[in-house]
């Protein structure tokens, strides 16, 4: 069982940047890991995923080219670098993980079994 803790959220003006971190309580070598977000009144959205076995990534169209997901296996940490932020990026951002036994793209609709408590990102216009 792995525990996840997000950090790095905050308030920023449109066009700014933030980097979210997700610290895992154990090794992250064999996981699908991802960042998800949920705004009030909206469904949860898969923002970006990575397969930590081979580094393959997947992005939502709404963030492609602006957000970058990355991992540091030595630090057991997942990151999300968010550039060119827009007001519509405002949401609670969650880190999630689940065991994986092969390489390949991790789909956002995979049943992720481990979740962090979230970190708030607010982008003002």
């Amino acid at each position: 069982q792995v525990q996840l803790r997000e950090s790095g959220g905050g308030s920023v003006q449109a066009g700014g940047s933030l980097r979210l971190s997700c610290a895992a309580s154990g090794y992250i070598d064999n996981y699908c890991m991802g960042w998800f977000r949920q705004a009030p009144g909206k469904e949860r959205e898969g923002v970006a995923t990575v397969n930590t076995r081979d580094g393959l990534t997947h992005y939502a169209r709404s963030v492609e080219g602006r957000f970058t997901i990355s991992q540091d296996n030595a630090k057991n940490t997942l990151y999300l670098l968010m550039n060119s932020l827009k007001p519509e990026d405002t949401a609670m951002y969650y880190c999630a993980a689940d065991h994986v036994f092969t390489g390949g793209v991790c789909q956002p609709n995979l049943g992720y079994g481990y979740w962090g408590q979230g970190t708030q990102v607010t982008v003002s216009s």
Side-chain angles (χ1 to χ4, degrees):
Q1 188 173 1
V2 64
Q3 295 179 335
L4 305 172
R5 183 163 63 182
E6 304 93 337
S7 62
S11 296
V12 65
Q13 288 192 329
S17 299
L18 282 173
R19 189 180 77 159
L20 306 183
S21 299
C22 172
S25 60
Y27 296 117
I28 61 170
D29 303 70
N30 296 290
Y31 283 90
C32 276
M33 299 192 74
W35 289 97
F36 296 77
R37 66 186 181 186
Q38 188 165 21
K42 294 189 176 182
E43 291 188 356
R44 188 175 64 198
E45 175 188 20
V47 175
T49 66
V50 63
N51 187 321
T52 63
R53 292 178 65 95
D54 57 16
L56 283 179
T57 59
H58 177 277
Y59 294 92
R61 286 188 178 182
S62 57
V63 306
E64 202 158 16
R66 299 189 297 124
F67 290 10
T68 303
I69 189 171
S70 62
Q71 64 194 84
D72 186 335
N73 287 11
K75 295 183 178 180
N76 298 329
T77 301
L78 181 74
Y79 301 100
L80 184 69
L81 176 61
M82 305 184 294
N83 293 323
S84 302
L85 282 162
K86 304 175 181 179
E88 51 263 44
D89 294 319
T90 295
M92 184 72 78
Y93 282 71
Y94 299 91
C95 174
D98 206 34
H99 295 287
V100 68
F101 302 100
T102 61
V105 172
C106 297
Q107 296 299 328
N109 58 358
L110 177 71
Y112 292 83
Y114 306 109
W115 291 83
Q117 296 204 343
T119 185
Q120 177 68 37
V121 171
T122 302
V123 184
S124 58
S125 58

